[in-house]
Amino acid sequence: MSERHNNSEDQFLIFGQPQIHQDEIDEVVDSLRKAWLGTGPKVSRFESEFARYKGTDSAHVAAVNSCTAALHISMLAAGIEPEDEVITTPMTFCATVNAIVHAGATPVLADIDPVSMNIDPAQIEKRITPRTRGVVPVHFAGRPCDMKSIMSLANKYGLKVIEDCAHAIESELDGRKAGTFGDFGCFSFYATKNVTTGEGGMILARDTSDIERAKILALHGMTKDAWKRFSDAGHVHYFVVECGFKYNMMDLQAAIGIHQLARVESSWNRRREIWERYQDEFSGLPVVRPTEPEAGSRHAYHLYTLQIDPKRCGISRDAFLDAMIDCRIGVGVHYLSIAQHPYYQQRFGWRPADYPNAWKVGEETVSLPLSPKLSQSDVERVIHNVRSILRS
Ligand SMILES: *Cc1c(COP(=O)(O)O)cnc(C)c1O
């Protein structure tokens, strides 16, 4: 224990803390000084710069106030209806599943591949029924799913594909960017994500008509021209054409996102450096490390996870989490498997053992800090403490 670095003078390393530069601060202050806080020119600029990053144009994107909202709206724009079934992974954040439920559909889980931790296409096919209408692959930790197999299943069975790209803004597969394989890609700009706006999200759609519908749904169901009421183009009446939601992004959020997005590649490089350093430093430990990125793919390095098997490590996952916190290092769990949560057990009768690969990850996984904000000495402190906890 004595060699453990739990000096109480160390600052607590907050897990997933974003890196905020002066540019973001100045841009937010500029919005405040202009007193234009809500949806306006900065949201438009953020949309077009995001679209450019994805190799497309503004007609294919819609900024919203979270990835959860993006998933919900995409589900509706995809035509998912009550009575429909939508297949997703048990190794994800609850919002993925909740969005399916909010659309009125029934979520169905298909277990993960234990190595990639992504949804296993063979398991998807086993769960397809005559009611299946959609599939929501999640590019877990930033590792792209097997989109070739998933898209061929989607074509074979006529399924809509909504990619949950919350971890995957930079991910690519065979030169194609995450979010451009399916009908929709949904992105998160939550505070811990690779690009942040505090809270925020983006919908990317293959068909521009889906974006038009998404924009109506995201702003009370008002006609598209309603977005123009924020401009000086003269008075425009809007009409409510369906019962929509209040999911629009504010300029205050886009102000942060514009500068975060400008640094997306340099932040990616810094996380990749840390991720690779962890891979090297932990190679001799009795843990399961993430598998290396597959050839022809680009990993977004959103999470770095270790699996702590108590039989091999001599310490339980939960005891490891507590030991890290004693060392003043914030850690995460991504995630308990979906079927471990009481709500889903009660509502859908799911049992963790029905998804054994996700269950095992859910019981053993730990996420280490991986923010571009980490200094070199923060990274050394994480490495030192992980090694000493697992060796003691
Ligand atoms: C963060 C996250 C979401 C939800 O994103 P919000 O922007 O917080 O709504 C959805 N899916 C996954 C996999 C996530 O990690």
Side-chain angles (χ1 to χ4, degrees):
M1 289 294 272
S2 57
E3 66 171 288
R4 229 178 263 177
H5 196 293
N6 51 355
N7 186 340
S8 59
E9 281 158 32
D10 280 338
Q11 258 204 335
F12 190 85
L13 216 61
I14 298 167
F15 181 86
Q17 195 169 46
Q19 188 180 46
I20 300 299
H21 281 191
Q22 192 62 39
D23 290 339
E24 284 95 311
I25 295 169
D26 292 344
E27 196 73 46
V28 169
V29 169
D30 176 70
S31 290
L32 292 169
R33 288 203 195 289
K34 288 176 177 151
W36 195 324
L37 313 185
T39 307
K42 288 184 188 176
V43 170
S44 296
R45 183 176 153 201
F46 185 49
E47 284 178 332
S48 64
E49 289 174 8
F50 180 89
R52 191 176 343 124
Y53 180 68
K54 285 290 170 184
T56 182
D57 61 64
S58 298
H60 293 271
V61 302
V64 288
N65 60 10
S66 71
C67 182
T68 306
L71 288 164
H72 182 198
I73 293 287
S74 297
M75 241 27 97
L76 299 175
I80 302 294
E81 291 186 338
E83 308 304 318
D84 292 348
E85 291 175 356
V86 177
I87 298 175
T88 193
T89 169
M91 185 42 56
T92 186
F93 186 55
C94 58
T96 315
V97 179
N98 290 349
I100 297 170
V101 178
H102 288 316
T106 303
V108 172
L109 301 179
D111 204 4
I112 56 168
D113 173 285
V115 175
S116 70
M117 300 190 197
N118 278 328
I119 195 166
D120 178 351
Q123 291 293 325
I124 296 177
E125 191 157 26
K126 281 194 190 148
R127 307 274 173 174
I128 291 173
T129 74
R131 287 170 54 194
T132 309
R133 289 286 174 276
V135 53
V136 186
V138 178
H139 305 294
F140 180 79
R143 184 186 304 277
C145 290
D146 176 359
M147 292 312 294
K148 202 169 158 215
S149 303
I150 292 171
M151 292 314 295
S152 87
L153 284 175
N155 291 331
K156 182 170 165 193
Y157 295 97
L159 310 178
K160 292 285 186 178
V161 177
I162 298 161
E163 298 175 60
D164 182 333
C165 301
H167 301 178
I169 181 166
E170 308 93 339
S171 304
E172 290 179 20
L173 192 61
D174 301 324
R176 248 173 102 171
K177 293 177 190 295
T180 67
F181 292 88
D183 300 275
F184 296 86
C186 298
F187 296 82
S188 175
F189 308 121
Y190 176 64
T192 60
K193 298 293 166 42
N194 294 354
V195 164
T196 186
T197 61
E199 298 282 0
M202 190 75 77
I203 305 170
L204 177 65
R206 187 193 300 134
D207 292 343
T208 56
S209 60
D210 284 336
I211 286 299
E212 284 168 22
R213 175 92 197 282
K215 286 198 162 190
I216 291 171
L217 284 165
L219 197 64
H220 305 295
M222 301 192 304
T223 44
K224 187 167 75 153
D225 287 344
W227 292 77
K228 292 190 190 137
R229 79 197 163 100
F230 300 114
S231 79
D232 58 1
H235 185 80
V236 183
H237 283 292
Y238 61 82
F239 293 94
V240 176
V241 292
E242 58 184 317
C243 184
F245 302 88
K246 184 62 167 63
Y247 284 166
N248 56 304
M249 179 183 277
M250 302 166 75
D251 264 25
L252 279 179
Q253 296 166 297
I256 303 170
I258 286 164
H259 297 284
Q260 285 274 310
L261 186 60
R263 294 202 309 276
V264 61
E265 289 299 308
S266 61
S267 302
W268 176 85
N269 258 310
R270 174 64 183 145
R271 292 195 314 278
R272 179 173 59 114
E273 242 170 52
I274 300 169
W275 200 96
E276 289 175 351
R277 186 79 205 291
Y278 287 164
Q279 280 295 74
D280 288 346
E281 293 289 343
F282 302 145
S283 65
L285 297 175
V287 290
V288 178
R289 292 169 301 148
T291 188
E292 288 294 318
E294 290 77 4
S297 80
R298 186 177 205 240
H299 197 300
Y301 304 112
H302 175 59
L303 297 173
Y304 183 88
T305 64
L306 292 177
Q307 275 174 265
I308 312 287
D309 174 348
K311 290 196 285 295
R312 287 178 63 203
C313 296
I315 183 171
S316 72
R317 187 271 307 275
D318 288 359
F320 178 86
L321 292 170
D322 287 338
M324 288 295 281
I325 290 166
D326 280 346
C327 298
R328 307 186 56 72
I329 296 172
V331 278
V333 172
H334 301 89
Y335 300 94
L336 295 185
S337 65
I338 288 292
Q340 289 178 260
H341 296 291
Y343 176 78
Y344 306 114
Q345 292 174 353
Q346 283 153 24
R347 179 148 176 195
F348 303 111
W350 293 341
R351 291 166 308 178
D354 294 337
Y355 314 95
N357 296 336
W359 192 22
K360 184 170 165 61
V361 173
E363 292 292 277
E364 298 183 350
T365 193
V366 175
S367 303
L368 300 182
L370 186 66
S371 160
K373 191 176 164 65
L374 297 177
S375 68
Q376 210 48 42
S377 76
D378 293 336
V379 173
E380 301 310 324
R381 188 150 77 85
V382 173
I383 291 169
H384 176 82
N385 285 295
V386 167
R387 293 169 65 115
S388 64
I389 292 167
L390 289 172
R391 280 183 175 151
S392 57

Coordinates of all heavy atoms in Angstrom, one line a residue, residues 7-65:
N7 N -1.5 10.7 -2.1 CA -1.2 12.0 -1.5 C -2.4 12.9 -1.5 O -2.9 13.2 -2.5 CB 0.0 12.6 -2.3 CG 0.5 13.8 -1.6 OD1 -0.1 14.4 -0.7 ND2 1.7 14.2 -2.0
S8 N -2.8 13.3 -0.3 CA -4.1 14.1 -0.3 C -3.9 15.4 -0.9 O -4.8 16.2 -1.1 CB -4.6 14.2 1.2 OG -3.6 14.8 2.0
E9 N -2.6 15.8 -1.1 CA -2.4 17.1 -1.8 C -2.7 17.0 -3.3 O -2.8 18.0 -4.0 CB -1.0 17.6 -1.5 CG -0.8 18.2 -0.2 CD 0.6 18.2 0.3 OE1 1.5 18.4 -0.5 OE2 0.8 18.1 1.5
D10 N -2.7 15.8 -3.8 CA -3.0 15.7 -5.2 C -4.4 16.1 -5.5 O -5.3 15.8 -4.7 CB -3.0 14.2 -5.7 CG -1.5 13.7 -5.9 OD1 -0.7 14.6 -6.2 OD2 -1.3 12.5 -5.8
Q11 N -4.6 16.9 -6.6 CA -5.9 17.3 -7.0 C -6.7 16.1 -7.4 O -6.1 15.2 -8.0 CB -5.8 18.3 -8.1 CG -6.0 19.7 -7.7 CD -6.5 20.5 -8.8 OE1 -6.3 20.2 -10.0 NE2 -7.2 21.6 -8.5
F12 N -8.0 16.0 -7.1 CA -8.8 14.9 -7.6 C -8.9 15.0 -9.1 O -9.3 16.1 -9.6 CB -10.2 14.9 -6.9 CG -11.0 13.7 -7.2 CD1 -10.8 12.5 -6.4 CD2 -11.8 13.6 -8.3 CE1 -11.5 11.4 -6.7 CE2 -12.5 12.4 -8.6 CZ -12.3 11.3 -7.8
L13 N -8.6 13.9 -9.8 CA -8.6 13.9 -11.2 C -10.1 13.6 -11.6 O -10.5 12.5 -11.5 CB -7.7 12.8 -11.7 CG -6.9 13.0 -13.0 CD1 -6.0 14.2 -12.8 CD2 -6.1 11.8 -13.2
I14 N -10.8 14.6 -12.1 CA -12.2 14.4 -12.5 C -12.3 13.6 -13.8 O -11.7 14.0 -14.8 CB -12.9 15.8 -12.6 CG1 -12.9 16.5 -11.3 CG2 -14.3 15.6 -13.1 CD1 -13.3 18.0 -11.4
F15 N -13.0 12.5 -13.7 CA -13.1 11.6 -14.9 C -13.8 12.4 -16.0 O -14.9 13.0 -15.9 CB -13.9 10.4 -14.5 CG -14.0 9.4 -15.7 CD1 -13.0 8.5 -16.0 CD2 -15.1 9.5 -16.6 CE1 -13.1 7.7 -17.1 CE2 -15.2 8.7 -17.7 CZ -14.2 7.8 -18.0
G16 N -13.2 12.3 -17.2 CA -13.8 12.9 -18.4 C -14.0 14.4 -18.4 O -14.8 14.9 -19.1
Q17 N -13.1 15.1 -17.7 CA -13.2 16.5 -17.7 C -12.8 17.1 -19.0 O -11.8 16.7 -19.6 CB -12.3 17.1 -16.6 CG -12.7 18.6 -16.3 CD -12.0 19.1 -15.1 OE1 -10.8 18.9 -14.9 NE2 -12.8 19.8 -14.3
P18 N -13.6 18.0 -19.6 CA -13.3 18.5 -20.9 C -12.2 19.5 -20.9 O -11.9 20.1 -19.8 CB -14.6 19.2 -21.4 CG -15.3 19.5 -20.1 CD -14.9 18.5 -19.1
Q19 N -11.6 19.7 -22.0 CA -10.5 20.7 -22.1 C -11.2 22.0 -22.8 O -11.6 21.9 -23.9 CB -9.4 20.2 -23.0 CG -8.2 21.1 -23.1 CD -7.1 20.6 -24.0 OE1 -7.4 20.2 -25.1 NE2 -5.9 20.6 -23.5
I20 N -11.2 23.0 -22.0 CA -11.9 24.3 -22.5 C -10.8 25.3 -22.7 O -10.0 25.6 -21.7 CB -12.9 24.8 -21.5 CG1 -14.0 23.7 -21.2 CG2 -13.5 26.1 -21.9 CD1 -14.8 23.4 -22.5
H21 N -10.7 25.8 -23.9 CA -9.7 26.9 -24.2 C -10.3 28.2 -24.1 O -11.5 28.4 -24.1 CB -9.1 26.6 -25.6 CG -8.1 25.5 -25.6 ND1 -7.3 25.3 -26.7 CD2 -7.7 24.6 -24.7 CE1 -6.4 24.3 -26.5 NE2 -6.7 23.8 -25.3
Q22 N -9.4 29.2 -24.2 CA -9.9 30.6 -24.2 C -10.8 30.9 -25.4 O -11.8 31.7 -25.2 CB -8.7 31.6 -24.3 CG -9.0 33.0 -24.0 CD -9.6 33.3 -22.6 OE1 -9.1 32.6 -21.6 NE2 -10.6 34.1 -22.5
D23 N -10.6 30.2 -26.5 CA -11.5 30.4 -27.7 C -13.0 30.2 -27.4 O -13.9 30.9 -27.8 CB -11.1 29.5 -28.8 CG -9.8 29.9 -29.5 OD1 -9.4 31.0 -29.3 OD2 -9.2 29.0 -30.1
E24 N -13.2 29.1 -26.6 CA -14.6 28.8 -26.3 C -15.2 29.9 -25.3 O -16.3 30.3 -25.5 CB -14.7 27.4 -25.5 CG -14.6 26.2 -26.4 CD -13.1 25.6 -26.5 OE1 -12.2 26.4 -26.7 OE2 -13.0 24.4 -26.3
I25 N -14.3 30.2 -24.4 CA -14.8 31.3 -23.4 C -15.1 32.6 -24.1 O -16.2 33.1 -23.9 CB -13.7 31.5 -22.3 CG1 -13.5 30.2 -21.5 CG2 -14.0 32.7 -21.4 CD1 -12.3 30.1 -20.6
D26 N -14.2 33.0 -25.0 CA -14.5 34.2 -25.8 C -15.7 34.2 -26.6 O -16.5 35.1 -26.7 CB -13.3 34.6 -26.7 CG -12.0 34.9 -25.9 OD1 -12.2 35.2 -24.7 OD2 -10.9 34.9 -26.4
E27 N -16.0 33.0 -27.2 CA -17.1 32.8 -28.1 C -18.4 32.9 -27.3 O -19.4 33.5 -27.8 CB -17.0 31.5 -28.9 CG -17.9 31.4 -30.1 CD -17.5 32.3 -31.3 OE1 -16.2 32.2 -31.6 OE2 -18.3 32.9 -31.9
V28 N -18.4 32.3 -26.1 CA -19.6 32.3 -25.3 C -19.8 33.8 -24.8 O -21.0 34.3 -24.8 CB -19.4 31.4 -24.1 CG1 -20.6 31.6 -23.0 CG2 -19.5 29.9 -24.5
V29 N -18.8 34.4 -24.4 CA -18.9 35.8 -24.0 C -19.4 36.7 -25.1 O -20.3 37.5 -24.9 CB -17.5 36.4 -23.5 CG1 -17.6 37.9 -23.3 CG2 -17.2 35.6 -22.2
D30 N -19.0 36.4 -26.4 CA -19.5 37.1 -27.5 C -21.0 37.0 -27.7 O -21.7 37.9 -27.9 CB -18.7 36.6 -28.8 CG -19.3 37.3 -30.0 OD1 -19.0 38.5 -30.2 OD2 -19.9 36.6 -30.8
S31 N -21.5 35.7 -27.5 CA -22.9 35.5 -27.6 C -23.6 36.3 -26.5 O -24.7 36.9 -26.7 CB -23.2 34.0 -27.4 OG -22.8 33.3 -28.5
L32 N -23.1 36.3 -25.3 CA -23.7 37.0 -24.2 C -23.7 38.5 -24.4 O -24.7 39.2 -24.2 CB -22.9 36.7 -22.9 CG -23.1 35.3 -22.3 CD1 -22.1 35.0 -21.2 CD2 -24.5 35.0 -21.9
R33 N -22.6 39.0 -25.0 CA -22.6 40.5 -25.2 C -23.6 40.9 -26.3 O -24.2 41.9 -26.3 CB -21.2 40.9 -25.7 CG -20.2 40.9 -24.5 CD -19.0 41.8 -24.8 NE -17.9 41.5 -23.9 CZ -17.9 41.8 -22.6 NH1 -18.9 42.4 -22.1 NH2 -16.8 41.5 -21.9
K34 N -23.7 40.0 -27.3 CA -24.7 40.2 -28.4 C -26.1 39.9 -27.9 O -27.1 40.2 -28.7 CB -24.4 39.4 -29.6 CG -23.1 39.9 -30.4 CD -22.8 38.9 -31.5 CE -21.6 39.4 -32.3 NZ -20.8 38.3 -32.9
A35 N -26.2 39.3 -26.8 CA -27.5 38.9 -26.2 C -28.3 38.0 -27.1 O -29.5 38.1 -27.2 CB -28.3 40.2 -25.8
W36 N -27.6 37.2 -27.9 CA -28.3 36.2 -28.7 C -27.9 34.8 -28.1 O -26.8 34.3 -28.4 CB -27.8 36.3 -30.2 CG -28.7 35.5 -31.1 CD1 -29.4 34.4 -30.8 CD2 -29.2 35.9 -32.4 NE1 -30.2 34.0 -31.8 CE2 -30.1 34.9 -32.8 CE3 -28.9 37.0 -33.2 CZ2 -30.7 34.9 -34.0 CZ3 -29.5 37.0 -34.5 CH2 -30.4 36.0 -34.9
L37 N -28.8 34.3 -27.3 CA -28.5 33.1 -26.6 C -29.0 31.9 -27.2 O -28.4 30.8 -27.2 CB -29.0 33.2 -25.1 CG -28.8 34.5 -24.4 CD1 -29.3 34.4 -22.9 CD2 -27.3 34.9 -24.4
G38 N -30.2 32.0 -27.8 CA -30.9 30.8 -28.3 C -30.4 30.4 -29.7 O -29.4 30.8 -30.1
T39 N -31.2 29.6 -30.4 CA -30.8 29.1 -31.7 C -30.6 30.2 -32.7 O -31.5 31.0 -32.9 CB -31.9 28.1 -32.2 OG1 -32.2 27.2 -31.2 CG2 -31.5 27.5 -33.5
G40 N -29.5 30.3 -33.3 CA -29.2 31.4 -34.2 C -28.0 31.1 -35.1 O -27.8 29.9 -35.5
P41 N -27.3 32.2 -35.4 CA -26.2 32.0 -36.4 C -25.1 31.0 -36.0 O -24.5 30.4 -36.8 CB -25.6 33.4 -36.6 CG -26.2 34.2 -35.4 CD -27.4 33.6 -35.0
K42 N -24.8 30.9 -34.7 CA -23.7 30.0 -34.3 C -24.1 28.6 -34.4 O -23.3 27.7 -34.7 CB -23.3 30.4 -32.8 CG -22.5 31.7 -32.8 CD -21.9 32.1 -31.5 CE -21.3 33.5 -31.7 NZ -20.8 34.1 -30.5
V43 N -25.4 28.3 -34.2 CA -25.9 26.9 -34.4 C -25.8 26.6 -35.9 O -25.3 25.5 -36.2 CB -27.4 26.7 -33.9 CG1 -27.9 25.4 -34.4 CG2 -27.4 26.9 -32.4
S44 N -26.1 27.5 -36.8 CA -26.0 27.3 -38.2 C -24.5 27.0 -38.6 O -24.2 26.1 -39.4 CB -26.4 28.5 -39.0 OG -27.8 28.7 -38.9
R45 N -23.6 27.8 -38.0 CA -22.2 27.7 -38.3 C -21.7 26.3 -37.8 O -21.0 25.6 -38.5 CB -21.4 28.8 -37.7 CG -20.0 28.8 -38.0 CD -19.2 30.0 -37.4 NE -17.9 29.6 -37.2 CZ -17.1 30.3 -36.4 NH1 -17.5 31.3 -35.7 NH2 -15.8 29.9 -36.2
F46 N -22.1 25.9 -36.6 CA -21.7 24.7 -36.0 C -22.2 23.5 -36.9 O -21.5 22.5 -37.2 CB -22.2 24.6 -34.6 CG -21.7 23.3 -33.8 CD1 -20.4 22.9 -33.8 CD2 -22.7 22.5 -33.1 CE1 -20.0 21.8 -33.1 CE2 -22.2 21.4 -32.4 CZ -20.9 21.0 -32.4
E47 N -23.5 23.6 -37.4 CA -24.0 22.6 -38.2 C -23.2 22.5 -39.5 O -22.8 21.3 -39.9 CB -25.5 22.9 -38.6 CG -26.4 22.6 -37.5 CD -27.9 23.0 -37.8 OE1 -28.1 23.9 -38.6 OE2 -28.8 22.4 -37.2
S48 N -22.9 23.6 -40.1 CA -22.2 23.4 -41.4 C -20.7 23.0 -41.2 O -20.2 22.2 -42.0 CB -22.3 24.7 -42.2 OG -21.6 25.8 -41.6
E49 N -20.1 23.3 -40.1 CA -18.7 22.9 -39.9 C -18.7 21.4 -39.5 O -17.8 20.6 -39.9 CB -18.0 23.7 -38.8 CG -17.7 25.1 -39.5 CD -17.2 26.2 -38.5 OE1 -16.9 25.9 -37.4 OE2 -17.1 27.3 -39.0
F50 N -19.8 21.0 -38.7 CA -19.9 19.5 -38.4 C -20.1 18.7 -39.7 O -19.5 17.7 -40.0 CB -21.0 19.3 -37.4 CG -21.2 17.8 -37.1 CD1 -20.5 17.3 -36.0 CD2 -22.1 17.0 -37.8 CE1 -20.7 15.9 -35.7 CE2 -22.2 15.7 -37.5 CZ -21.5 15.1 -36.4
A51 N -21.0 19.2 -40.6 CA -21.3 18.6 -41.8 C -20.0 18.4 -42.7 O -19.7 17.4 -43.2 CB -22.4 19.3 -42.6
R52 N -19.3 19.5 -42.7 CA -18.0 19.5 -43.5 C -17.1 18.4 -42.9 O -16.4 17.7 -43.7 CB -17.3 20.9 -43.5 CG -16.2 20.9 -44.5 CD -15.5 22.2 -44.7 NE -16.2 23.4 -44.3 CZ -15.7 24.3 -43.4 NH1 -14.5 24.1 -42.9 NH2 -16.4 25.3 -43.0
Y53 N -17.0 18.4 -41.6 CA -16.1 17.3 -41.0 C -16.5 15.9 -41.4 O -15.7 15.0 -41.5 CB -16.1 17.5 -39.4 CG -15.3 16.5 -38.7 CD1 -13.9 16.5 -38.8 CD2 -15.8 15.4 -38.0 CE1 -13.1 15.6 -38.2 CE2 -15.0 14.5 -37.3 CZ -13.7 14.6 -37.5 OH -12.9 13.6 -36.9
K54 N -17.8 15.8 -41.6 CA -18.4 14.4 -42.0 C -18.4 14.3 -43.5 O -18.9 13.3 -44.0 CB -19.8 14.2 -41.4 CG -19.8 14.0 -39.9 CD -19.2 12.6 -39.6 CE -18.9 12.3 -38.1 NZ -18.3 11.0 -37.9
G55 N -17.9 15.2 -44.2 CA -17.8 15.1 -45.7 C -19.2 15.4 -46.4 O -19.4 14.8 -47.5
T56 N -20.0 16.1 -45.7 CA -21.4 16.4 -46.4 C -21.7 17.9 -46.2 O -20.8 18.7 -46.0 CB -22.4 15.4 -45.8 OG1 -23.7 15.7 -46.4 CG2 -22.6 15.6 -44.3
D57 N -23.0 18.2 -46.3 CA -23.4 19.6 -46.2 C -24.5 19.8 -45.2 O -25.1 18.8 -44.8 CB -23.7 20.3 -47.5 CG -24.9 19.6 -48.2 OD1 -26.0 19.6 -47.6 OD2 -24.7 18.9 -49.2
S58 N -24.9 21.0 -44.9 CA -25.8 21.3 -43.8 C -27.2 20.7 -44.0 O -27.9 20.5 -43.1 CB -26.1 22.8 -43.7 OG -24.9 23.5 -43.4
A59 N -27.6 20.4 -45.3 CA -28.9 19.8 -45.5 C -29.0 18.4 -44.9 O -30.1 17.8 -44.8 CB -29.1 19.7 -47.0
H60 N -27.8 17.8 -44.5 CA -27.9 16.5 -44.0 C -27.7 16.4 -42.5 O -27.5 15.3 -41.9 CB -26.8 15.6 -44.6 CG -27.0 15.3 -46.1 ND1 -27.7 14.2 -46.5 CD2 -26.7 16.0 -47.2 CE1 -27.8 14.3 -47.8 NE2 -27.1 15.3 -48.3
V61 N -27.7 17.6 -41.8 CA -27.5 17.6 -40.3 C -28.5 18.5 -39.6 O -29.1 19.4 -40.2 CB -26.1 18.1 -40.0 CG1 -25.0 17.2 -40.6 CG2 -25.8 19.5 -40.3
A62 N -28.8 18.2 -38.4 CA -29.6 19.0 -37.5 C -29.1 19.0 -36.1 O -28.9 17.9 -35.5 CB -31.1 18.5 -37.5
A63 N -28.7 20.1 -35.6 CA -28.2 20.2 -34.2 C -29.4 20.1 -33.3 O -30.5 20.8 -33.5 CB -27.5 21.5 -34.0
V64 N -29.2 19.4 -32.2 CA -30.3 19.3 -31.1 C -29.6 19.4 -29.8 O -28.4 19.7 -29.7 CB -31.1 18.0 -31.3 CG1 -32.0 18.0 -32.5 CG2 -30.2 16.8 -31.3
N65 N -30.4 19.3 -28.7 CA -29.9 19.6 -27.4 C -29.3 18.4 -26.6 O -28.8 18.5 -25.5 CB -30.8 20.3 -26.5 CG -32.1 19.6 -26.3 OD1 -32.2 18.4 -26.6 ND2 -33.1 20.2 -25.7

